[in-house]
Amino acid sequence: MDHMTSQQAKAQLAAAQATEVTTTHDRRVHGLATAGFGVAMGAYVAVQRVVDGTSAETPLLAVYAIALLGLVTWQTRAARSVPRSSRLVGYVGLAGSFVLMMATIMWLNIRGTGRLGGVEGQPESWGVLLLAGVVIALPMLVAGVRILRGGTR
């Protein structure tokens, strides 16, 4: 068994304490992936409203699933560590985006009946759909920026 001197032990302890477990690269990967999930969710809801009832619905769902799977794969392979509290921040962002997604879908459905300013049976304008996508993505975009900047400690 190797015995080390007190100087060697102090040097190893100092080196271990100076090493940051999470790198800027890892924060970037997790932050961008979190923001990407939000953008994918918002974009899917907006574009799905345009292709609703057409033959493009199934391919759109496949592209959405592949995009999410690609983000997950990239995030897990590119990062060597998980930044502190990034999972919690990401889950809070996801919960916020999910709640806003459900509320936005209900709002768009009610607008489609003509009760909230929409025209019954008419598709929504691109402006309304863009706003819906941004609202849905916003919590995860904020979470992604917070993770990216390292403000999750």
Side-chain angles (χ1 to χ4, degrees), residues 38-39 41-50 104 107-108 124-138 141:
V39 169
M41 287 172 66
Y44 175 75
V45 170
V47 175
Q48 192 280 332
R49 301 299 288 199
V50 173
T104 301
W107 176 71
L108 289 170
E124 291 292 345
S125 70
W126 279 103
V128 169
L129 294 176
L130 179 64
L131 177 65
V134 169
V135 165
I136 291 167
L138 195 58
L141 288 172

Side-chain angles (χ1 to χ4, degrees), residues 60-150:
L60 175 65
L61 182 58
V63 167
Y64 177 62
I66 290 168
L68 293 180
L69 184 61
L71 277 170
V72 167
T73 302
W74 172 70
Q75 181 182 22
T76 55
R77 290 184 180 203
R80 292 175 297 279
S81 67
V82 178
R84 182 178 302 187
S85 301
S86 65
R87 283 191 178 122
L88 176 63
V89 171
Y91 289 148
V92 168
L94 178 61
S97 285
F98 182 77
V99 167
L100 288 174
M101 182 176 69
M102 291 293 110
T104 301
I105 289 170
M106 287 189 292
W107 176 71
L108 289 170
N109 286 340
I110 293 170
R111 271 183 58 90
T113 66
R115 295 184 197 157
L116 290 177
V119 179
E120 186 175 352
Q122 296 296 315
E124 291 292 345
S125 70
W126 279 103
V128 169
L129 294 176
L130 179 64
L131 177 65
V134 169
V135 165
I136 291 167
L138 195 58
M140 291 200 75
L141 288 172
V142 170
V145 168
R146 186 158 179 206
I147 293 167
L148 184 67
R149 291 188 176 168

